[in-house]
Amino acid sequence: GTSGSQLYEWMTGGNISAAGPSVTERTAMGISAVYACIGLIGGALASLPLPIYRRTADGRERVNHDVWWLLNEQPCTCMSAAVMWEYLAWSLLLHGDAFAMIQRASPLSPTIVGFEPVHPLSVQVQEVNERLIYTVVDCDETLVIDQDDMLHIPGLGFDGLRGMSPLRYAARQTFGLSL
């Protein structure tokens, strides 16, 4: 919990709005307009197909690829692709970043066998030797993941490491007043 981190703000009351209430992802989702907007955007994104293309001399061509199934049907055993994309949209809209660990057939294999979404608050991003390193802290373990094994969708205000959280930077006062 270093100064400026979300954990530090939570522990010191830094997420309290000028109107008084503490604004978190859960309290923000309690506002019907926020819930409806995030649900609408997330649902729309989750319903879009994700075709796979290959670059050609003339531009691009659509191809059949094994990753298509993961992106459009089932990225992991515990959820459908629509649920994963809706979760990633929710993460992006509230926290400014969306993360999914890329699962491979074996540690050195280039074959992608799945994607596992990760809550943005459990991920720390660092630059080491001009590469991004993601530290994922889960209640059971801590994983250190190279940029080649993480799908990172940054939001607005991307500084090379993280996107800006709309909840922290843009909407805290408005949501606090609404609460």
Side-chain angles (χ1 to χ4, degrees), residues 26 29 36-37 39 60 66 89 97-98 156 163:
R26 296 208 185 273
M29 290 296 280
C37 290
R60 65 181 184 170
D66 294 337
D97 289 290
L156 184 66

Side-chain angles (χ1 to χ4, degrees), residues 7-42:
L7 175 62
Y8 181 83
E9 286 191 8
W10 177 76
M11 291 180 75
T12 60
N15 61 348
I16 295 176
S17 67
S22 175
V23 178
T24 66
E25 66 188 47
R26 296 208 185 273
T27 59
M29 290 296 280
I31 302 168
S32 59
V34 173
Y35 185 89
C37 290
I38 289 177
L40 182 66
I41 294 168

